Amino acid sequence: GAGVSQSPRYKVAKRGQDVALRCDPISGHVSLFWYQQALGQGPEFLTYFQNEAQLDKSGLPSDRFFAERPEGSVSTLKIQRTQQEDSAVYLCASSLGGSFLVMYFGPGTRLTVL
Amino acid sequence: AQTVTQSQPEMSVQEAETVTLSCTYDTSENNYYLFWYKQPPSRQMILVIRQEAYKQQNATENRFSVNFQKAAKSFSLKISDSQLGDTAMYFCAFMKPNTGNQFYFGTGTSLTVIP
């Protein structure tokens, strides 16, 4: 595709529900990142993949958060037993990797937990 | 840990005028990269400009330029001839290579260009 796409764009969940957020990176991009952006804040790092390998998950706030990229392309961020503090915009970004450092961001998924 | 500070939550500028957005960062690293990203109301973040710390020359991209002061750990963005389409949130970001290319973002500056 022309850019990074994310779905759904908006998600409303009741507290305690599980959600799955999808990211389609730019074709051929090796690196994929997930960021969480709370209202009025800058994006905060959650996790990083190089191809299918999750090389850094230090930013995941709890064990309720899980991310995967099984075939090295599409990635899914799953949040189990959602809490109100999980409400945020979840941004996905991809890059060619290596020495090419520019990240391309998707439009984000706005998650609201009621 | 690296921190990025943007001390101007909101700014405004008249169309065609020049505006400067401030950014400071804290790191003990010598080799790193700095970026300015733009996030319009549609929320898709777009790279505006980047600077390699080992380069003394300030980066420029058309109407956008930076003033990179490595000793002061300052990285400001200057927008010349401001246009209505420049209205957006602007985020300063720091990245140390070879660590998973993790970016650290500031809290952003909301820029409004006034017609």
PDB file of all heavy atoms in Angstrom, chain B residues 20-55:
ATOM      1  N   THR B  20       9.569  30.036  15.613  1.00  0.00           N
ATOM      2  CA  THR B  20      10.569  29.079  16.098  1.00  0.00           C
ATOM      3  C   THR B  20      10.013  28.283  17.257  1.00  0.00           C
ATOM      4  O   THR B  20       9.512  28.848  18.236  1.00  0.00           O
ATOM      5  CB  THR B  20      11.856  29.798  16.544  1.00  0.00           C
ATOM      6  OG1 THR B  20      12.416  30.485  15.419  1.00  0.00           O
ATOM      7  CG2 THR B  20      12.881  28.796  17.048  1.00  0.00           C
ATOM      8  N   LEU B  21      10.091  26.969  17.127  1.00  0.00           N
ATOM      9  CA  LEU B  21       9.634  26.053  18.175  1.00  0.00           C
ATOM     10  C   LEU B  21      10.857  25.501  18.912  1.00  0.00           C
ATOM     11  O   LEU B  21      11.828  25.079  18.275  1.00  0.00           O
ATOM     12  CB  LEU B  21       8.827  24.899  17.567  1.00  0.00           C
ATOM     13  CG  LEU B  21       7.685  25.276  16.617  1.00  0.00           C
ATOM     14  CD1 LEU B  21       6.935  24.042  16.164  1.00  0.00           C
ATOM     15  CD2 LEU B  21       6.753  26.270  17.241  1.00  0.00           C
ATOM     16  N   SER B  22      10.776  25.470  20.224  1.00  0.00           N
ATOM     17  CA  SER B  22      11.919  25.072  21.043  1.00  0.00           C
ATOM     18  C   SER B  22      11.873  23.603  21.427  1.00  0.00           C
ATOM     19  O   SER B  22      10.794  23.022  21.602  1.00  0.00           O
ATOM     20  CB  SER B  22      11.985  25.913  22.314  1.00  0.00           C
ATOM     21  OG  SER B  22      12.088  27.274  22.006  1.00  0.00           O
ATOM     22  N   CYS B  23      13.058  23.039  21.587  1.00  0.00           N
ATOM     23  CA  CYS B  23      13.180  21.660  22.062  1.00  0.00           C
ATOM     24  C   CYS B  23      14.532  21.515  22.748  1.00  0.00           C
ATOM     25  O   CYS B  23      15.552  21.945  22.203  1.00  0.00           O
ATOM     26  CB  CYS B  23      13.082  20.675  20.899  1.00  0.00           C
ATOM     27  SG  CYS B  23      13.420  18.944  21.339  1.00  0.00           S
ATOM     28  N   THR B  24      14.526  20.942  23.913  1.00  0.00           N
ATOM     29  CA  THR B  24      15.776  20.560  24.576  1.00  0.00           C
ATOM     30  C   THR B  24      15.695  19.090  24.934  1.00  0.00           C
ATOM     31  O   THR B  24      14.614  18.515  25.042  1.00  0.00           O
ATOM     32  CB  THR B  24      16.038  21.385  25.845  1.00  0.00           C
ATOM     33  OG1 THR B  24      14.947  21.199  26.756  1.00  0.00           O
ATOM     34  CG2 THR B  24      16.191  22.863  25.515  1.00  0.00           C
ATOM     35  N   TYR B  25      16.854  18.481  25.098  1.00  0.00           N
ATOM     36  CA  TYR B  25      16.892  17.059  25.387  1.00  0.00           C
ATOM     37  C   TYR B  25      18.015  16.779  26.361  1.00  0.00           C
ATOM     38  O   TYR B  25      18.919  17.605  26.551  1.00  0.00           O
ATOM     39  CB  TYR B  25      17.059  16.250  24.095  1.00  0.00           C
ATOM     40  CG  TYR B  25      18.289  16.622  23.305  1.00  0.00           C
ATOM     41  CD1 TYR B  25      19.477  15.922  23.463  1.00  0.00           C
ATOM     42  CD2 TYR B  25      18.269  17.702  22.421  1.00  0.00           C
ATOM     43  CE1 TYR B  25      20.605  16.275  22.759  1.00  0.00           C
ATOM     44  CE2 TYR B  25      19.399  18.058  21.713  1.00  0.00           C
ATOM     45  CZ  TYR B  25      20.560  17.353  21.884  1.00  0.00           C
ATOM     46  OH  TYR B  25      21.686  17.717  21.187  1.00  0.00           O
ATOM     47  N   ASP B  26      17.944  15.640  26.967  1.00  0.00           N
ATOM     48  CA  ASP B  26      18.948  15.269  27.956  1.00  0.00           C
ATOM     49  C   ASP B  26      19.461  13.880  27.605  1.00  0.00           C
ATOM     50  O   ASP B  26      18.686  12.925  27.522  1.00  0.00           O
ATOM     51  CB  ASP B  26      18.348  15.257  29.362  1.00  0.00           C
ATOM     52  CG  ASP B  26      19.394  14.979  30.427  1.00  0.00           C
ATOM     53  OD1 ASP B  26      20.585  15.222  30.161  1.00  0.00           O
ATOM     54  OD2 ASP B  26      19.024  14.507  31.512  1.00  0.00           O
ATOM     55  N   THR B  27      20.751  13.771  27.387  1.00  0.00           N
ATOM     56  CA  THR B  27      21.349  12.483  27.092  1.00  0.00           C
ATOM     57  C   THR B  27      22.824  12.504  27.430  1.00  0.00           C
ATOM     58  O   THR B  27      23.443  13.571  27.436  1.00  0.00           O
ATOM     59  CB  THR B  27      21.161  12.113  25.608  1.00  0.00           C
ATOM     60  OG1 THR B  27      21.670  10.805  25.379  1.00  0.00           O
ATOM     61  CG2 THR B  27      21.890  13.099  24.696  1.00  0.00           C
ATOM     62  N   SER B  28      23.357  11.341  27.694  1.00  0.00           N
ATOM     63  CA  SER B  28      24.796  11.204  27.901  1.00  0.00           C
ATOM     64  C   SER B  28      25.469  10.627  26.664  1.00  0.00           C
ATOM     65  O   SER B  28      26.691  10.432  26.653  1.00  0.00           O
ATOM     66  CB  SER B  28      25.067  10.303  29.112  1.00  0.00           C
ATOM     67  OG  SER B  28      24.477   9.034  28.908  1.00  0.00           O
ATOM     68  N   GLU B  29      24.679  10.376  25.635  1.00  0.00           N
ATOM     69  CA  GLU B  29      25.209   9.798  24.408  1.00  0.00           C
ATOM     70  C   GLU B  29      25.900  10.854  23.562  1.00  0.00           C
ATOM     71  O   GLU B  29      25.607  12.053  23.660  1.00  0.00           O
ATOM     72  CB  GLU B  29      24.080   9.160  23.600  1.00  0.00           C
ATOM     73  CG  GLU B  29      23.336   8.060  24.350  1.00  0.00           C
ATOM     74  CD  GLU B  29      24.212   6.859  24.611  1.00  0.00           C
ATOM     75  OE1 GLU B  29      25.090   6.575  23.778  1.00  0.00           O
ATOM     76  OE2 GLU B  29      24.005   6.194  25.648  1.00  0.00           O
ATOM     77  N   ASN B  30      26.792  10.394  22.702  1.00  0.00           N
ATOM     78  CA  ASN B  30      27.469  11.312  21.784  1.00  0.00           C
ATOM     79  C   ASN B  30      26.944  11.154  20.363  1.00  0.00           C
ATOM     80  O   ASN B  30      26.965  12.100  19.579  1.00  0.00           O
ATOM     81  CB  ASN B  30      28.982  11.048  21.806  1.00  0.00           C
ATOM     82  CG  ASN B  30      29.748  12.115  21.057  1.00  0.00           C
ATOM     83  OD1 ASN B  30      29.561  13.311  21.277  1.00  0.00           O
ATOM     84  ND2 ASN B  30      30.606  11.685  20.154  1.00  0.00           N
ATOM     85  N   ASN B  31      26.479   9.959  20.053  1.00  0.00           N
ATOM     86  CA  ASN B  31      25.966   9.694  18.709  1.00  0.00           C
ATOM     87  C   ASN B  31      24.458   9.459  18.797  1.00  0.00           C
ATOM     88  O   ASN B  31      24.005   8.512  19.443  1.00  0.00           O
ATOM     89  CB  ASN B  31      26.658   8.458  18.119  1.00  0.00           C
ATOM     90  CG  ASN B  31      26.167   8.162  16.718  1.00  0.00           C
ATOM     91  OD1 ASN B  31      25.798   9.077  15.986  1.00  0.00           O
ATOM     92  ND2 ASN B  31      26.138   6.905  16.352  1.00  0.00           N
ATOM     93  N   TYR B  32      23.707  10.323  18.147  1.00  0.00           N
ATOM     94  CA  TYR B  32      22.255  10.179  18.191  1.00  0.00           C
ATOM     95  C   TYR B  32      21.660  10.985  17.051  1.00  0.00           C
ATOM     96  O   TYR B  32      22.371  11.671  16.304  1.00  0.00           O
ATOM     97  CB  TYR B  32      21.686  10.652  19.543  1.00  0.00           C
ATOM     98  CG  TYR B  32      22.150  12.018  19.981  1.00  0.00           C
ATOM     99  CD1 TYR B  32      21.472  13.168  19.585  1.00  0.00           C
ATOM    100  CD2 TYR B  32      23.270  12.158  20.788  1.00  0.00           C
ATOM    101  CE1 TYR B  32      21.892  14.413  19.984  1.00  0.00           C
ATOM    102  CE2 TYR B  32      23.703  13.405  21.189  1.00  0.00           C
ATOM    103  CZ  TYR B  32      23.013  14.543  20.797  1.00  0.00           C
ATOM    104  OH  TYR B  32      23.444  15.788  21.192  1.00  0.00           O
ATOM    105  N   TYR B  33      20.344  10.903  16.926  1.00  0.00           N
ATOM    106  CA  TYR B  33      19.624  11.613  15.871  1.00  0.00           C
ATOM    107  C   TYR B  33      18.458  12.379  16.501  1.00  0.00           C
ATOM    108  O   TYR B  33      17.881  11.942  17.499  1.00  0.00           O
ATOM    109  CB  TYR B  33      19.075  10.628  14.835  1.00  0.00           C
ATOM    110  CG  TYR B  33      20.153   9.903  14.057  1.00  0.00           C
ATOM    111  CD1 TYR B  33      20.833   8.818  14.621  1.00  0.00           C
ATOM    112  CD2 TYR B  33      20.513  10.305  12.778  1.00  0.00           C
ATOM    113  CE1 TYR B  33      21.831   8.158  13.925  1.00  0.00           C
ATOM    114  CE2 TYR B  33      21.513   9.646  12.075  1.00  0.00           C
ATOM    115  CZ  TYR B  33      22.165   8.582  12.661  1.00  0.00           C
ATOM    116  OH  TYR B  33      23.148   7.937  11.964  1.00  0.00           O
ATOM    117  N   LEU B  34      18.147  13.485  15.892  1.00  0.00           N
ATOM    118  CA  LEU B  34      17.025  14.310  16.352  1.00  0.00           C
ATOM    119  C   LEU B  34      16.076  14.540  15.191  1.00  0.00           C
ATOM    120  O   LEU B  34      16.511  14.661  14.035  1.00  0.00           O
ATOM    121  CB  LEU B  34      17.542  15.651  16.884  1.00  0.00           C
ATOM    122  CG  LEU B  34      18.428  15.554  18.133  1.00  0.00           C
ATOM    123  CD1 LEU B  34      19.212  16.835  18.323  1.00  0.00           C
ATOM    124  CD2 LEU B  34      17.591  15.240  19.354  1.00  0.00           C
ATOM    125  N   PHE B  35      14.800  14.610  15.515  1.00  0.00           N
ATOM    126  CA  PHE B  35      13.766  14.725  14.495  1.00  0.00           C
ATOM    127  C   PHE B  35      12.701  15.732  14.930  1.00  0.00           C
ATOM    128  O   PHE B  35      12.461  15.925  16.122  1.00  0.00           O
ATOM    129  CB  PHE B  35      13.056  13.368  14.292  1.00  0.00           C
ATOM    130  CG  PHE B  35      13.942  12.231  13.890  1.00  0.00           C
ATOM    131  CD1 PHE B  35      14.703  11.563  14.839  1.00  0.00           C
ATOM    132  CD2 PHE B  35      14.006  11.796  12.584  1.00  0.00           C
ATOM    133  CE1 PHE B  35      15.530  10.506  14.486  1.00  0.00           C
ATOM    134  CE2 PHE B  35      14.822  10.727  12.222  1.00  0.00           C
ATOM    135  CZ  PHE B  35      15.578  10.086  13.169  1.00  0.00           C
ATOM    136  N   TRP B  36      12.082  16.324  13.958  1.00  0.00           N
ATOM    137  CA  TRP B  36      10.828  17.033  14.172  1.00  0.00           C
ATOM    138  C   TRP B  36       9.759  16.332  13.331  1.00  0.00           C
ATOM    139  O   TRP B  36       9.946  16.134  12.122  1.00  0.00           O
ATOM    140  CB  TRP B  36      10.922  18.499  13.759  1.00  0.00           C
ATOM    141  CG  TRP B  36      11.546  19.368  14.801  1.00  0.00           C
ATOM    142  CD1 TRP B  36      12.849  19.773  14.866  1.00  0.00           C
ATOM    143  CD2 TRP B  36      10.893  19.952  15.929  1.00  0.00           C
ATOM    144  NE1 TRP B  36      13.043  20.560  15.966  1.00  0.00           N
ATOM    145  CE2 TRP B  36      11.862  20.692  16.634  1.00  0.00           C
ATOM    146  CE3 TRP B  36       9.584  19.919  16.409  1.00  0.00           C
ATOM    147  CZ2 TRP B  36      11.569  21.405  17.806  1.00  0.00           C
ATOM    148  CZ3 TRP B  36       9.292  20.622  17.565  1.00  0.00           C
ATOM    149  CH2 TRP B  36      10.268  21.362  18.250  1.00  0.00           C
ATOM    150  N   TYR B  37       8.665  15.966  14.009  1.00  0.00           N
ATOM    151  CA  TYR B  37       7.521  15.377  13.341  1.00  0.00           C
ATOM    152  C   TYR B  37       6.334  16.319  13.466  1.00  0.00           C
ATOM    153  O   TYR B  37       6.159  16.998  14.480  1.00  0.00           O
ATOM    154  CB  TYR B  37       7.150  14.022  13.961  1.00  0.00           C
ATOM    155  CG  TYR B  37       7.894  12.837  13.377  1.00  0.00           C
ATOM    156  CD1 TYR B  37       9.153  12.473  13.871  1.00  0.00           C
ATOM    157  CD2 TYR B  37       7.360  12.096  12.332  1.00  0.00           C
ATOM    158  CE1 TYR B  37       9.831  11.388  13.339  1.00  0.00           C
ATOM    159  CE2 TYR B  37       8.035  11.010  11.802  1.00  0.00           C
ATOM    160  CZ  TYR B  37       9.267  10.663  12.303  1.00  0.00           C
ATOM    161  OH  TYR B  37       9.945   9.587  11.773  1.00  0.00           O
ATOM    162  N   LYS B  38       5.511  16.320  12.431  1.00  0.00           N
ATOM    163  CA  LYS B  38       4.297  17.135  12.377  1.00  0.00           C
ATOM    164  C   LYS B  38       3.099  16.201  12.443  1.00  0.00           C
ATOM    165  O   LYS B  38       3.077  15.168  11.768  1.00  0.00           O
ATOM    166  CB  LYS B  38       4.296  17.927  11.076  1.00  0.00           C
ATOM    167  CG  LYS B  38       3.000  18.629  10.726  1.00  0.00           C
ATOM    168  CD  LYS B  38       3.141  19.265   9.345  1.00  0.00           C
ATOM    169  CE  LYS B  38       1.847  19.934   8.906  1.00  0.00           C
ATOM    170  NZ  LYS B  38       1.983  20.533   7.554  1.00  0.00           N
ATOM    171  N   GLN B  39       2.114  16.561  13.274  1.00  0.00           N
ATOM    172  CA  GLN B  39       0.910  15.760  13.383  1.00  0.00           C
ATOM    173  C   GLN B  39      -0.307  16.651  13.146  1.00  0.00           C
ATOM    174  O   GLN B  39      -0.794  17.319  14.045  1.00  0.00           O
ATOM    175  CB  GLN B  39       0.828  15.089  14.759  1.00  0.00           C
ATOM    176  CG  GLN B  39      -0.263  14.048  14.876  1.00  0.00           C
ATOM    177  CD  GLN B  39      -0.235  13.322  16.211  1.00  0.00           C
ATOM    178  OE1 GLN B  39      -0.006  13.927  17.262  1.00  0.00           O
ATOM    179  NE2 GLN B  39      -0.469  12.018  16.202  1.00  0.00           N
ATOM    180  N   PRO B  40      -0.800  16.674  11.906  1.00  0.00           N
ATOM    181  CA  PRO B  40      -1.982  17.487  11.596  1.00  0.00           C
ATOM    182  C   PRO B  40      -3.211  16.921  12.314  1.00  0.00           C
ATOM    183  O   PRO B  40      -3.147  15.812  12.853  1.00  0.00           O
ATOM    184  CB  PRO B  40      -2.117  17.355  10.079  1.00  0.00           C
ATOM    185  CG  PRO B  40      -0.823  16.789   9.606  1.00  0.00           C
ATOM    186  CD  PRO B  40      -0.279  15.974  10.739  1.00  0.00           C
ATOM    187  N   PRO B  41      -4.307  17.622  12.278  1.00  0.00           N
ATOM    188  CA  PRO B  41      -5.523  17.138  12.954  1.00  0.00           C
ATOM    189  C   PRO B  41      -5.957  15.747  12.516  1.00  0.00           C
ATOM    190  O   PRO B  41      -6.621  15.062  13.257  1.00  0.00           O
ATOM    191  CB  PRO B  41      -6.557  18.207  12.590  1.00  0.00           C
ATOM    192  CG  PRO B  41      -5.756  19.450  12.397  1.00  0.00           C
ATOM    193  CD  PRO B  41      -4.463  19.000  11.785  1.00  0.00           C
ATOM    194  N   SER B  42      -5.597  15.285  11.356  1.00  0.00           N
ATOM    195  CA  SER B  42      -5.946  13.927  10.910  1.00  0.00           C
ATOM    196  C   SER B  42      -5.161  12.870  11.660  1.00  0.00           C
ATOM    197  O   SER B  42      -5.434  11.689  11.532  1.00  0.00           O
ATOM    198  CB  SER B  42      -5.675  13.790   9.415  1.00  0.00           C
ATOM    199  OG  SER B  42      -4.286  13.871   9.167  1.00  0.00           O
ATOM    200  N   ARG B  43      -4.134  13.302  12.406  1.00  0.00           N
ATOM    201  CA  ARG B  43      -3.334  12.484  13.309  1.00  0.00           C
ATOM    202  C   ARG B  43      -2.232  11.651  12.669  1.00  0.00           C
ATOM    203  O   ARG B  43      -1.543  10.950  13.346  1.00  0.00           O
ATOM    204  CB  ARG B  43      -4.199  11.590  14.181  1.00  0.00           C
ATOM    205  CG  ARG B  43      -5.194  12.303  15.027  1.00  0.00           C
ATOM    206  CD  ARG B  43      -5.590  11.447  16.189  1.00  0.00           C
ATOM    207  NE  ARG B  43      -4.511  11.369  17.161  1.00  0.00           N
ATOM    208  CZ  ARG B  43      -4.324  12.266  18.114  1.00  0.00           C
ATOM    209  NH1 ARG B  43      -5.115  13.305  18.217  1.00  0.00           N
ATOM    210  NH2 ARG B  43      -3.333  12.142  18.976  1.00  0.00           N
ATOM    211  N   GLN B  44      -2.059  11.651  11.352  1.00  0.00           N
ATOM    212  CA  GLN B  44      -0.951  10.901  10.773  1.00  0.00           C
ATOM    213  C   GLN B  44       0.313  11.732  10.915  1.00  0.00           C
ATOM    214  O   GLN B  44       0.401  12.842  10.387  1.00  0.00           O
ATOM    215  CB  GLN B  44      -1.217  10.587   9.298  1.00  0.00           C
ATOM    216  CG  GLN B  44      -0.297   9.564   8.712  1.00  0.00           C
ATOM    217  CD  GLN B  44      -1.034   8.516   7.911  1.00  0.00           C
ATOM    218  OE1 GLN B  44      -2.214   8.643   7.618  1.00  0.00           O
ATOM    219  NE2 GLN B  44      -0.338   7.460   7.547  1.00  0.00           N
ATOM    220  N   MET B  45       1.278  11.205  11.616  1.00  0.00           N
ATOM    221  CA  MET B  45       2.518  11.941  11.854  1.00  0.00           C
ATOM    222  C   MET B  45       3.407  11.895  10.621  1.00  0.00           C
ATOM    223  O   MET B  45       3.540  10.844   9.982  1.00  0.00           O
ATOM    224  CB  MET B  45       3.244  11.367  13.052  1.00  0.00           C
ATOM    225  CG  MET B  45       2.485  11.600  14.344  1.00  0.00           C
ATOM    226  SD  MET B  45       3.366  11.068  15.780  1.00  0.00           S
ATOM    227  CE  MET B  45       4.709  12.206  15.837  1.00  0.00           C
ATOM    228  N   ILE B  46       3.999  13.028  10.329  1.00  0.00           N
ATOM    229  CA  ILE B  46       4.818  13.166   9.135  1.00  0.00           C
ATOM    230  C   ILE B  46       6.175  13.724   9.542  1.00  0.00           C
ATOM    231  O   ILE B  46       6.251  14.665  10.326  1.00  0.00           O
ATOM    232  CB  ILE B  46       4.165  14.137   8.129  1.00  0.00           C
ATOM    233  CG1 ILE B  46       2.731  13.707   7.807  1.00  0.00           C
ATOM    234  CG2 ILE B  46       4.989  14.236   6.848  1.00  0.00           C
ATOM    235  CD1 ILE B  46       1.925  14.796   7.146  1.00  0.00           C
ATOM    236  N   LEU B  47       7.236  13.155   9.003  1.00  0.00           N
ATOM    237  CA  LEU B  47       8.572  13.669   9.283  1.00  0.00           C
ATOM    238  C   LEU B  47       8.751  15.032   8.633  1.00  0.00           C
ATOM    239  O   LEU B  47       8.463  15.209   7.453  1.00  0.00           O
ATOM    240  CB  LEU B  47       9.627  12.710   8.756  1.00  0.00           C
ATOM    241  CG  LEU B  47      11.074  13.165   8.915  1.00  0.00           C
ATOM    242  CD1 LEU B  47      11.461  13.196  10.389  1.00  0.00           C
ATOM    243  CD2 LEU B  47      12.019  12.263   8.130  1.00  0.00           C
ATOM    244  N   VAL B  48       9.233  15.984   9.400  1.00  0.00           N
ATOM    245  CA  VAL B  48       9.521  17.319   8.880  1.00  0.00           C
ATOM    246  C   VAL B  48      10.998  17.452   8.542  1.00  0.00           C
ATOM    247  O   VAL B  48      11.370  17.871   7.436  1.00  0.00           O
ATOM    248  CB  VAL B  48       9.121  18.394   9.916  1.00  0.00           C
ATOM    249  CG1 VAL B  48       9.537  19.787   9.433  1.00  0.00           C
ATOM    250  CG2 VAL B  48       7.623  18.351  10.193  1.00  0.00           C
ATOM    251  N   ILE B  49      11.845  17.064   9.484  1.00  0.00           N
ATOM    252  CA  ILE B  49      13.273  17.280   9.303  1.00  0.00           C
ATOM    253  C   ILE B  49      14.028  16.422  10.314  1.00  0.00           C
ATOM    254  O   ILE B  49      13.485  16.087  11.373  1.00  0.00           O
ATOM    255  CB  ILE B  49      13.612  18.783   9.473  1.00  0.00           C
ATOM    256  CG1 ILE B  49      14.977  19.126   8.882  1.00  0.00           C
ATOM    257  CG2 ILE B  49      13.518  19.202  10.933  1.00  0.00           C
ATOM    258  CD1 ILE B  49      15.180  20.627   8.709  1.00  0.00           C
ATOM    259  N   ARG B  50      15.254  16.057   9.986  1.00  0.00           N
ATOM    260  CA  ARG B  50      16.065  15.292  10.922  1.00  0.00           C
ATOM    261  C   ARG B  50      17.492  15.820  10.923  1.00  0.00           C
ATOM    262  O   ARG B  50      17.952  16.430   9.951  1.00  0.00           O
ATOM    263  CB  ARG B  50      16.047  13.802  10.588  1.00  0.00           C
ATOM    264  CG  ARG B  50      16.952  13.385   9.450  1.00  0.00           C
ATOM    265  CD  ARG B  50      16.991  11.871   9.328  1.00  0.00           C
ATOM    266  NE  ARG B  50      18.139  11.426   8.552  1.00  0.00           N
ATOM    267  CZ  ARG B  50      18.439  10.160   8.335  1.00  0.00           C
ATOM    268  NH1 ARG B  50      17.681   9.217   8.846  1.00  0.00           N
ATOM    269  NH2 ARG B  50      19.490   9.818   7.634  1.00  0.00           N
ATOM    270  N   GLN B  51      18.190  15.555  12.016  1.00  0.00           N
ATOM    271  CA  GLN B  51      19.558  16.046  12.210  1.00  0.00           C
ATOM    272  C   GLN B  51      20.395  14.947  12.841  1.00  0.00           C
ATOM    273  O   GLN B  51      19.974  14.345  13.832  1.00  0.00           O
ATOM    274  CB  GLN B  51      19.539  17.276  13.135  1.00  0.00           C
ATOM    275  CG  GLN B  51      20.891  17.807  13.541  1.00  0.00           C
ATOM    276  CD  GLN B  51      21.520  18.699  12.489  1.00  0.00           C
ATOM    277  OE1 GLN B  51      20.851  19.509  11.857  1.00  0.00           O
ATOM    278  NE2 GLN B  51      22.819  18.555  12.293  1.00  0.00           N
ATOM    279  N   GLU B  52      21.538  14.687  12.251  1.00  0.00           N
ATOM    280  CA  GLU B  52      22.481  13.756  12.860  1.00  0.00           C
ATOM    281  C   GLU B  52      23.380  14.525  13.811  1.00  0.00           C
ATOM    282  O   GLU B  52      23.904  15.592  13.453  1.00  0.00           O
ATOM    283  CB  GLU B  52      23.341  13.082  11.780  1.00  0.00           C
ATOM    284  CG  GLU B  52      22.581  12.151  10.869  1.00  0.00           C
ATOM    285  CD  GLU B  52      21.958  12.835   9.659  1.00  0.00           C
ATOM    286  OE1 GLU B  52      21.847  14.074   9.657  1.00  0.00           O
ATOM    287  OE2 GLU B  52      21.583  12.132   8.717  1.00  0.00           O
ATOM    288  N   ALA B  53      23.599  14.011  15.000  1.00  0.00           N
ATOM    289  CA  ALA B  53      24.354  14.739  16.021  1.00  0.00           C
ATOM    290  C   ALA B  53      25.797  14.976  15.615  1.00  0.00           C
ATOM    291  O   ALA B  53      26.426  15.940  16.065  1.00  0.00           O
ATOM    292  CB  ALA B  53      24.302  14.001  17.342  1.00  0.00           C
ATOM    293  N   TYR B  54      26.344  14.109  14.763  1.00  0.00           N
ATOM    294  CA  TYR B  54      27.749  14.259  14.378  1.00  0.00           C
ATOM    295  C   TYR B  54      27.943  15.334  13.314  1.00  0.00           C
ATOM    296  O   TYR B  54      29.076  15.708  12.994  1.00  0.00           O
ATOM    297  CB  TYR B  54      28.323  12.928  13.895  1.00  0.00           C
ATOM    298  CG  TYR B  54      27.657  12.354  12.667  1.00  0.00           C
ATOM    299  CD1 TYR B  54      28.028  12.757  11.389  1.00  0.00           C
ATOM    300  CD2 TYR B  54      26.664  11.392  12.784  1.00  0.00           C
ATOM    301  CE1 TYR B  54      27.428  12.230  10.266  1.00  0.00           C
ATOM    302  CE2 TYR B  54      26.055  10.855  11.668  1.00  0.00           C
ATOM    303  CZ  TYR B  54      26.444  11.273  10.405  1.00  0.00           C
ATOM    304  OH  TYR B  54      25.839  10.737   9.305  1.00  0.00           O
ATOM    305  N   LYS B  55      26.856  15.833  12.762  1.00  0.00           N
ATOM    306  CA  LYS B  55      26.955  16.886  11.754  1.00  0.00           C
ATOM    307  C   LYS B  55      26.815  18.256  12.412  1.00  0.00           C
ATOM    308  O   LYS B  55      25.856  18.503  13.140  1.00  0.00           O
ATOM    309  CB  LYS B  55      25.870  16.711  10.686  1.00  0.00           C
ATOM    310  CG  LYS B  55      26.086  15.517   9.772  1.00  0.00           C
ATOM    311  CD  LYS B  55      25.055  15.509   8.655  1.00  0.00           C
ATOM    312  CE  LYS B  55      25.313  14.349   7.701  1.00  0.00           C
ATOM    313  NZ  LYS B  55      24.310  14.301   6.608  1.00  0.00           N
TER     314      LYS B  55
END
